[in-house]
Amino acid sequence: ECFKCYSLFCSFRKIIFEKQWFYLDNAIGHIYGTTFEVTSGGNLQPKQEVEEATTETKEAGTDNRNIVDDGKSQKLTHDDIKALKDKGIKGQEIVQQLIENSTTFRDKTEFAQDKYIKKKKKKYEAIITIVKPSTRILSTMYYAREPGKINHLRYDTLAQMLTLGNVHAGTKMIVMETCAGLVLGAVMERMGGYGSIIQLYPGGGPVRAATSCFGFPKAFFEHLHEFPLSKVQSLLCGAWSAEPEETPLLGEESNGLGEEKQQEAEEEAAAETAMESSPAEEPDTVEEVSEEVECKENKEKENKENVREKQMKQWERRKKLKEAAALLREKNADGLIVASKFHPTPLLLSLLEFVAPSRPFVVYCQYKEPLLDCYTRLRERGGVINLKLSESWLRNYQVLPDRSHPKLTMSGGGGYLLSGITVLLEQGRAEGSTPEAPKLEEPSSKRCKLEELP
Amino acid sequence: MSFVEYGDTIKDGDTAIVFLGHESMFPVKVQHGTVTQTKYGVIRHSTDLIGKKYGSKVTCSKGGWVFILHPTPELWTMNLPHRTQILYSTDISIITMMLELKPGSIVCESGTGSGSLSHALIRTVAPTGHLYTVEFHQQRAEKARQEFREHGVEHLVTVTNQDVCKNGFGVSNVADAVFLDIPSPWEAIGHAKSALKAEGGRICSFSPCIEQVQRTCLAMEEYGFTEINTLEILLRVYNVRTISLQIPDLGKAAEDNSSSGFDSSKPSHQGSPCANLQQGTVQFKSGVPLREVVGHTGYLTFATKS
C-alpha cells in the first residue's frame, strides 16, 4: 500500500517516489490501476501476472524451538546483495536468492515463510501502481504523509463530515478550511459541479494545493466563490462594499495575493516533494501574479496595455468578490463546513448567520476542548438543535486464513466533530444579529431543559 | 422537498421530521386535514405545517412546541420504520467515501433491507447517477419502492426482487461500485464483478462476523480483486457536562491562606481566586462518554476491480 502513488500526467519529468526514480512516459495510455515495474533507466513497464515460484514440495517447520538467532542465517553478504542490485538483476530474483541462501528458511513455519517473502518483496521489488485521484486516495495519503497540513483530520473523520453535512449536488455550501484545500476538494467531489460553494479564507487568499490534486474539470470552478474571512463582520453588519475601500484595498489585495501565491507555490512545492508527485497544472492565477509583479517593476515605462489588462483583472476580481458577498448576504446557505486551525467558536457564531434554517453544520477540531466551549456558546445563542460532539475510531484488520486479527498499530486520534442542525431564531433575536451577546432568555433555557431531559 | 433537493417551505405530501428534543423525533407525512399527536399536544397539518418554513418552531395544542425539520438521509436513518437491522450514518459515511461515490456514480446494492443506506446512496449519486438495489424479500422490496416514490427519488433507483446470490444484480458492466450486506456475500462476489464496469470499480461488503469476512476475502482474491482491505469504524459520542470536583480538606486552608495556588481553574474570570476554594470545589467542562456505546456493527471489506 505504501506503493500507492498519485501523479498528474506530465511527460519528460523525473519522478522520485519511495527512493525510486522513474519517468512516467510509458504510463500514458494505460488504464488507471495498472501496476508497473521500474526497470533500469527509470522506465515503467506494465507488470505481467507472474506465476508465483512455488517450490513443488513446500518444506516448513512447525515451530521455532530450534531456530537460533546467530545473525549468520543469511549466507549472502551486504556486498553480495549490492552487487546483485548493481547488475540490474530483477528484484524477484534477488528475493529468490535470499531465500535460497537463508539456512533457517526451511525450518520456519509456513506463515513465517510467507511473512519473510512479503517483507523481502516489499524491499526489492520496485512496483508502482498508478491510480486515479479521489477523496479516498488523497485524504488517506495526506493523513499518512502530511497530517500537519490538514490539522490531523483523519480520512474517516472527513467522511463523517461529508455525510453529517449532507453534502450533495445542487446545494449552496459554505466552507471554511485550513486543510490545504483537501476539505474543499472533498466537498467539490460530492457536489459534482452542481450548486455553489463559498470558501471563506484567512489571510491573502485560499490555499488549494490539495484541491488541485483532484484534477477537477474547469467547470467545477465556475461556481466556486471565495470571500475573505476578515470582511465577514462588516458584511454581517451591512457595512461591507467592494467600492469605497477600492484603492487601498486593491493595493493591499494585490500584495496579499502575491504573498499568498508565493505561499501557495511553496505549499505546492512542499506537497510535491512530500508526495513525490509532479505538481498540478499551475493555476492560471500564478501567471497573472507574475504579470502583476512585472508590471510594478516596470512602472516607469508603464505601457498602457498592461495597465488596461491589470484593471480588467482587478475589475474581474472585484466582480467575483461581489458575487460571493451577494451569495452570503442571502443568508440561505444549505450547510456550513468548518475545519481549521482557528478556534471554532467565533467562526461558528458568525458564519451560522449565513445558513438557512433546518440545515446541517459540522465543525472539525483537532482538540476536544474548544468544541466543548463552542457547544456551550451555541446553546446560549440558540437557533441550533441536535448538537452532537463525536469522534470516530478506525481499526484496520489483517485477514488471512488462520491469521486474522486487528492490525498491530492504529491511529491515536483523528480529531473531533461538533455537528448540529440550524432552526429559525426567535423573533427579535435575529434582528440584533449580535451573536456575541449571551442570550439567557426564557426560550433558550426552556430548550436546554427540553433537550437534556432524556 | 425531496431527499435530494432542499425546499424552504413545508408542502402537502412532504415527509417532515418532527423534532421533540434530544434524540427524540419522528417522521410525518404532511397531509391536508390530518393531525399528529405528540406528547406536547396535537399538530394540525393544514394550519400548523403547510406553508411554514422548515426549521420553524410549531406550538402544539397543549402549549408545548416542536421543531419541524427538512428530511435528510441521516435524519431518515434515525427515524425510519425498521424492517431489518439497518446501517447507521457512521458506517454509511466511510462506505460512501471508500466506494468513491459522487454525482453520476452507478451503484449496485443488496439487500435493500429498510433502505437506510439506499437513501444515502441516492442522495450522493443524484442527479445523474443511479442505484440498482436488489432485495429477495418481496414485501420489503415493495415497501422500499413505495418509500422511494414518497420521497421523490424513484427516478434515481431501480428495485429488483430477486436473489442476488443466484441471479445477480440484473445489470452487467455498468456499475462504478457494489455494496453487499447479505449473510453470504462470498456467493455474490462473481455477480458483483460482472455488474462492475469493464474498466473497473470498487466493492464493499459488510459482515458482522469475522468468519464471513474471511470467506469473502478469499472469494475476492479468487475473482481477481485487488487492494483488499478490512476495517471497522466506531462512533464515540460525548455529552458536554460541567463537572465540579470537591477539594479535599487536608486541614491546611485555615492556617495557610496565602494558599498553595492549586485552585487555578478560573482565576482570570473570577476576581477572587479564593472563591472556589471557599466553596471547596473546582469546576470544569468535560466531554463525558456515554455510559453505553455501540461496540461493534460490522466489518467493512473494500476492494478494487481493475
Side-chain angles (χ1 to χ4, degrees):
Chain A
E1 226 141 283
C2 58
F3 291 113
K4 204 180 279 170
C5 157
Y6 159 66
S7 187
L8 279 173
F9 274 103
C10 179
S11 44
F12 310 115
R13 231 192 134 102
K14 193 162 147 184
I15 307 287
I16 301 169
F17 181 75
E18 296 278 342
K19 295 178 196 159
Q20 285 284 335
W21 61 269
F22 51 87
Y23 297 95
L24 278 178
D25 306 43
N26 289 352
I28 295 169
H30 288 280
I31 60 164
Y32 281 111
T34 306
T35 299
F36 298 90
E37 261 177 303
V38 182
T39 61
S40 52
N43 287 313
L44 293 181
Q45 200 175 57
K47 191 175 188 283
Q48 270 105 40
E49 276 305 315
V50 275
E51 290 279 312
E52 288 298 312
T54 39
T55 30
E56 306 78 44
T57 45
K58 254 194 176 169
E59 256 186 283
T62 48
D63 57 46
N64 60 9
R65 75 183 72 189
N66 296 318
I67 295 182
V68 184
D69 182 13
D70 54 4
K72 288 184 229 157
S73 62
Q74 182 53 255
K75 295 295 172 225
L76 290 181
T77 63
H78 269 295
D79 294 335
D80 295 338
I81 297 170
K82 195 173 175 292
L84 286 176
K85 271 165 113 181
D86 290 344
K87 266 194 260 173
I89 283 177
K90 274 197 170 182
Q92 220 179 330
E93 283 158 34
I94 299 181
V95 175
Q96 197 55 42
Q97 296 233 18
L98 285 169
I99 293 169
E100 279 161 21
N101 287 288
S102 165
T103 53
T104 50
F105 186 81
R106 256 163 297 158
D107 300 329
K108 286 178 196 271
T109 65
E110 210 180 306
F111 298 148
Q113 290 181 351
D114 234 32
K115 205 168 164 182
Y116 181 86
I117 295 173
K118 259 192 194 155
K119 240 167 112 179
K120 296 300 172 196
K121 271 191 170 177
K122 206 168 164 182
K123 193 164 170 191
Y124 295 102
E125 287 188 16
I127 290 167
I128 277 149
T129 305
I130 297 187
V131 298
K132 205 173 183 167
S134 64
T135 303
R136 167 176 78 97
I137 300 283
L138 289 169
S139 60
T140 40
M141 198 175 72
Y142 260 95
Y143 187 74
R145 292 178 169 264
E146 293 285 346
K149 284 222 167 81
I150 55 166
N151 303 302
H152 294 258
L153 169 68
R154 209 208 287 129
Y155 45 98
D156 55 310
T157 313
L158 176 58
Q160 301 297 317
M161 293 180 75
L162 297 168
T163 296
L164 288 170
N166 191 22
V167 180
H168 63 283
T171 54
K172 173 173 165 181
M173 297 298 295
I174 300 177
V175 177
M176 158 57 205
E177 65 128 291
T178 60
C179 293
L182 179 70
V183 175
L184 176 71
V187 171
M188 285 171 75
E189 184 183 273
R190 284 292 172 90
M191 290 177 57
Y194 303 93
S196 53
I197 305 172
I198 305 119
Q199 183 184 16
L200 294 161
Y201 61 87
V207 176
R208 291 179 186 161
T211 320
S212 63
C213 293
F214 283 82
F216 289 128
K218 253 206 168 114
F220 277 37
F221 292 89
E222 273 163 33
H223 299 286
L224 170 61
H225 303 269
E226 61 249 6
F227 191 82
L229 201 55
S230 58
K231 305 285 178 210
V232 163
Q233 208 48 54
S234 60
L235 187 69
L236 275 174
C237 57
W240 187 84
S241 127
E243 312 300 342
E245 293 179 80
E246 203 174 313
T247 348
L249 181 78
L250 282 179
E252 175 197 316
E253 197 180 38
S254 58
N255 280 342
L257 203 70
E259 241 172 68
E260 180 51 42
K261 285 301 158 193
Q262 201 183 339
Q263 191 192 328
E264 193 177 316
E266 272 170 21
E267 187 99 19
E268 222 162 303
E272 187 188 345
T273 42
M275 270 135 216
E276 286 142 303
S277 70
S278 69
E281 304 145 68
E282 303 283 274
D284 25 7
T285 31
V286 167
E287 259 171 71
E288 182 186 312
V289 169
S290 57
E291 270 169 41
E292 245 171 36
V293 171
E294 233 178 302
C295 170
K296 259 184 202 161
E297 282 167 358
N298 304 346
K299 230 173 190 168
E300 301 81 20
K301 48 175 181 173
E302 253 177 7
N303 130 10
K304 269 181 192 167
E305 203 148 301
N306 260 358
V307 174
R308 255 190 52 160
E309 209 174 295
K310 190 178 159 186
Q311 278 176 337
M312 277 295 284
K313 268 170 186 161
Q314 284 176 344
W315 183 80
E316 198 75 35
R317 203 175 296 146
R318 214 178 316 141
K319 197 179 134 215
K320 287 272 306 183
L321 199 63
K322 270 193 220 164
E323 276 172 19
L327 282 171
L328 287 172
R329 259 195 228 125
E330 289 171 352
K331 298 195 175 185
N332 66 351
D334 294 317
L336 170 66
I337 306 273
V338 175
S340 81
K341 61 184 177 187
F342 300 106
H343 198 294
T345 304
L347 287 171
L348 259 280
L349 289 176
S350 292
L351 301 184
L352 276 178
E353 300 281 313
F354 298 120
V355 182
S358 196
R359 298 291 187 272
F361 63 88
V362 199
V363 204
Y364 168 81
C365 189
Q366 192 184 340
Y367 312 101
K368 189 161 56 173
E369 291 72 14
L371 291 178
L372 295 175
D373 174 68
C374 195
Y375 180 101
T376 314
R377 297 297 297 272
L378 286 179
R379 271 290 178 83
E380 287 166 7
R381 171 193 182 263
V384 292
I385 55 168
N386 214 29
L387 285 182
K388 199 161 155 188
L389 176 61
S390 66
E391 174 193 17
S392 56
W393 278 11
L394 187 71
R395 199 161 171 131
N396 280 288
Y397 286 81
Q398 166 179 305
V399 180
L400 290 169
D402 297 324
R403 280 160 292 166
S404 298
H405 57 72
K407 291 259 172 79
L408 289 181
T409 54
M410 65 187 279
S411 157
Y416 300 84
L417 295 177
L418 177 62
S419 63
I421 302 171
T422 56
V423 289
L424 274 173
L425 265 173
E426 292 302 288
Q427 284 301 315
R429 280 190 185 194
E431 244 80 302
S433 77
T434 46
E436 284 79 15
K439 300 280 169 41
L440 295 164
E441 295 150 40
E442 178 261 345
S444 107
S445 54
K446 196 167 171 187
R447 178 181 300 114
C448 292
K449 227 191 254 166
L450 187 78
E451 286 191 5
E452 255 149 25
L453 287 172
Chain B
M1 76 101 221
S2 94
F3 272 63
V4 295
E5 211 170 336
Y6 281 118
D8 288 336
T9 53
I10 305 164
K11 294 189 190 71
D12 189 29
D14 280 6
T15 298
I17 308 291
V18 178
F19 184 92
L20 292 104
H22 186 61
E23 301 272 298
S24 164
M25 46 187 146
F26 59 86
V28 284
K29 217 181 141 205
V30 180
Q31 271 175 312
H32 267 297
T34 310
V35 295
T36 298
Q37 294 288 344
T38 75
K39 60 179 172 182
Y40 302 117
V42 168
I43 302 172
R44 286 170 220 288
H45 292 202
S46 305
T47 52
D48 296 338
L49 297 183
I50 294 169
K52 289 261 179 71
K53 270 195 145 195
Y54 275 109
S56 300
K57 185 193 265 187
V58 171
T59 309
C60 307
S61 62
K62 286 184 197 163
W65 37 259
V66 297
F67 284 104
I68 307 297
L69 300 179
H70 196 287
T72 66
E74 287 59 52
L75 287 173
W76 182 247
T77 289
M78 287 191 267
N79 295 292
L80 56 81
H82 284 218
R83 301 182 283 273
T84 56
Q85 181 65 262
I86 64 162
L87 280 168
Y88 289 93
S89 298
T90 313
D91 284 308
I92 290 173
S93 66
I94 196 90
I95 291 166
T96 311
M97 181 196 268
M98 291 300 187
L99 287 181
E100 305 189 337
L101 302 184
K102 55 194 177 197
S105 298
I106 308 291
V107 193
C108 291
E109 176 202 32
S110 188
T112 314
S114 306
S116 170
L117 175 70
S118 313
H119 279 82
L121 295 176
I122 292 167
R123 174 264 316 272
T124 304
V125 305
T128 46
H130 200 85
L131 172 68
Y132 294 92
T133 184
V134 177
E135 171 60 55
F136 70 174
H137 190 286
Q138 203 209 322
Q139 258 179 314
R140 278 185 220 144
E142 197 38 60
K143 197 82 187 104
R145 278 193 200 109
Q146 187 194 326
E147 273 173 8
F148 295 140
R149 255 197 313 277
E150 285 174 14
H151 296 164
V153 295
E154 59 184 319
H155 57 295
L156 296 162
V157 54
T158 306
V159 185
T160 310
N161 177 212
Q162 64 185 31
D163 183 349
V164 73
C165 295
K166 291 206 179 80
N167 309 310
F169 291 93
V171 289
S172 57
N173 289 326
V174 296
D176 297 289
V178 171
F179 177 81
L180 293 169
D181 178 7
I182 52 174
S184 52
W186 56 90
E187 292 176 15
I189 299 296
H191 293 298
K193 192 180 179 182
S194 57
L196 286 166
K197 283 179 178 162
E199 60 262 42
R202 296 275 294 163
I203 185 172
C204 174
S205 171
F206 174 93
S207 297
C209 307
I210 198 72
E211 291 82 0
Q212 293 169 302
V213 175
Q214 205 127 33
R215 297 182 74 164
T216 307
C217 285
L218 283 175
M220 284 177 173
E221 212 165 322
E222 195 184 311
Y223 280 97
F225 282 91
T226 57
E227 269 192 290
I228 303 169
N229 181 26
T230 301
L231 58 84
E232 185 182 21
I233 186 166
L234 289 172
L235 193 71
R236 229 172 134 78
V237 176
Y238 297 96
N239 281 324
V240 179
R241 294 261 180 273
T242 304
I243 313 279
S244 328
L245 289 186
Q246 223 182 335
I247 292 171
D249 177 11
L250 298 173
K252 268 183 175 175
E255 59 226 55
D256 180 22
N257 51 11
S258 61
S259 159
S260 57
F262 165 72
D263 174 38
S264 57
S265 61
K266 287 177 183 172
S268 54
H269 291 196
Q270 268 126 332
S272 56
C274 292
N276 274 341
L277 247 191
Q278 277 161 6
Q279 290 163 8
T281 59
V282 173
Q283 280 201 343
F284 60 92
K285 282 236 180 295
S286 178
V288 186
L290 308 187
R291 207 165 53 85
E292 206 167 54
V293 294
V294 175
H296 179 68
T297 54
Y299 300 105
L300 291 164
T301 301
F302 295 92
T304 302
K305 173 190 175 182
S306 52

